[in-house]
């Protein structure tokens, strides 16, 4: 396995984790805990859950697939040939990644480097 910050169609690129969304959620929950405890608690739990996901999940672009790992275990493989569309929402502050396969739709919070994600997607799954 080759890990690279500059995407190459033939190499495997592992996306580096990004903790931006979980940190913002936890920080935003602090004043909410003082005003509306239950709402702040929910936001804190969501932020901590996303932090755990950012720590434990790994996303890799291979020559033919987008792979999702937890540790060393492959959880799911998404072959590019089945992709119909993809989009990153809110380019200035990317928080959500959407892609549609032939039989399913996926929404993922951006818990990984959005710039590498976008460049890999443009190389391996160009939009029509």
């Amino acid at each position: 396995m080759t890990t690279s910050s500059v995407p190459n169609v033939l190499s495997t690129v592992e996306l580096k984790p990004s903790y931006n969304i979980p940190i913002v959620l936890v920080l935003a929950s602090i004043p909410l805990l003082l005003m509306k405890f239950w709402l702040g608690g929910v936001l804190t739990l969501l932020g901590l859950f996303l932090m755990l996901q950012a720590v434990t999940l790994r996303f890799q672009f291979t020559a033919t697939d987008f792979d999702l790992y937890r540790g060393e275990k492959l959880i799911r493989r998404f072959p590019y040939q089945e992709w119909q569309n993809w989009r990153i929402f809110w380019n200035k502050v990317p928080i959500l990644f959407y892609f549609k396969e032939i039989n399913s739709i996926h929404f993922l919070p951006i818990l990984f480097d959005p710039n590498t994600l976008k460049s890999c997607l443009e190389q391996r799954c160009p939009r029509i």
Side-chain angles (χ1 to χ4, degrees), residues 16-87:
K16 293 179 183 176
S18 171
Y19 304 102
N20 295 340
I21 293 173
I23 289 171
V24 167
L25 288 174
V26 170
L27 291 176
S29 72
I30 293 170
L32 281 175
L33 284 167
L34 300 173
M35 296 184 318
K36 297 246 184 200
F37 184 77
W38 67 271
L39 184 59
V42 168
L43 203 57
T44 300
L45 290 175
L46 177 61
L48 293 174
F49 172 74
L50 291 176
M51 181 74 72
L52 177 67
Q53 296 292 12
V55 169
T56 60
L57 295 179
R58 292 188 355 234
F59 295 92
Q60 292 182 349
F61 282 93
T62 67
T64 58
D65 307 303
F66 179 61
D67 294 339
L68 171 61
Y69 287 87
R70 181 175 311 278
E72 297 298 319
K73 181 181 179 190
L74 177 66
I75 296 174
R76 182 87 191 266
R77 177 163 279 155
F78 303 97
Y80 305 135
Q81 66 187 15
E82 295 182 9
W83 289 38
Q84 295 180 328
N85 192 15
W86 62 267
R87 184 177 175 121

Side-chain angles (χ1 to χ4, degrees), residues 3 6 47-49 67 74 78 90 97 100 117 120-121:
T3 302
V6 179
L48 293 174
F49 172 74
D67 294 339
L74 177 66
F78 303 97
W90 300 289
F97 168 48
K100 182 175 189 246
L117 171 68
C120 287
L121 287 168

Side-chain angles (χ1 to χ4, degrees), residues 103-120:
N103 294 319
S104 58
I105 296 173
H106 306 279
F107 288 94
L108 302 173
I110 304 253
L111 301 175
F112 33 82
D113 178 38
N115 297 323
T116 306
L117 171 68
K118 186 174 183 178
S119 63
C120 287

